[in-house]
């Protein structure tokens, strides 16, 4: 009933954080702050690997 008892997706919050990191990185790159861009991109890449590992593991 309305997804009340549906198991929560563990990757949903991680995907949201990943998108936020990519957006912050894009804004830093536009401002010319390449160091911050590269640090945020690396963090986003590591987070994406974690998401893939969780998805591969399955429910």
């Amino acid at each position: 009933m309305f997804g009340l008892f549906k198991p929560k997706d563990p990757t949903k919050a991680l995907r949201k954080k990943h998108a936020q990191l990519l957006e912050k990185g894009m804004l830093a790159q536009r401002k010319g702050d390449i160091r911050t861009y590269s640090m945020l991109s690396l963090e986003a890449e590591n987070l994406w690997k974690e998401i893939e590992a969780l998805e591969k593991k399955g429910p």
Side-chain angles (χ1 to χ4, degrees), residues 12-24:
K12 187 175 182 180
L14 293 176
R15 285 180 182 272
K16 185 176 179 180
K17 185 175 180 181
H18 179 260
Q20 289 172 344
L21 285 172
L22 289 177
E23 185 175 355
K24 284 181 185 178

Side-chain angles (χ1 to χ4, degrees), residues 13-55:
L14 293 176
R15 285 180 182 272
K16 185 176 179 180
K17 185 175 180 181
H18 179 260
Q20 289 172 344
L21 285 172
L22 289 177
E23 185 175 355
K24 284 181 185 178
M26 176 197 62
L27 294 175
Q29 185 181 27
R30 284 186 179 175
K31 290 180 183 178
D33 190 0
I34 302 303
R35 181 174 288 157
T36 303
Y37 164 71
S38 62
M39 288 177 15
L40 290 170
S41 295
L42 179 64
E43 191 175 342
E45 185 179 336
N46 291 336
L47 188 61
W48 186 253
K49 288 178 183 179
E50 185 179 338
I51 291 169
E52 285 182 332
L54 285 173
E55 288 179 345

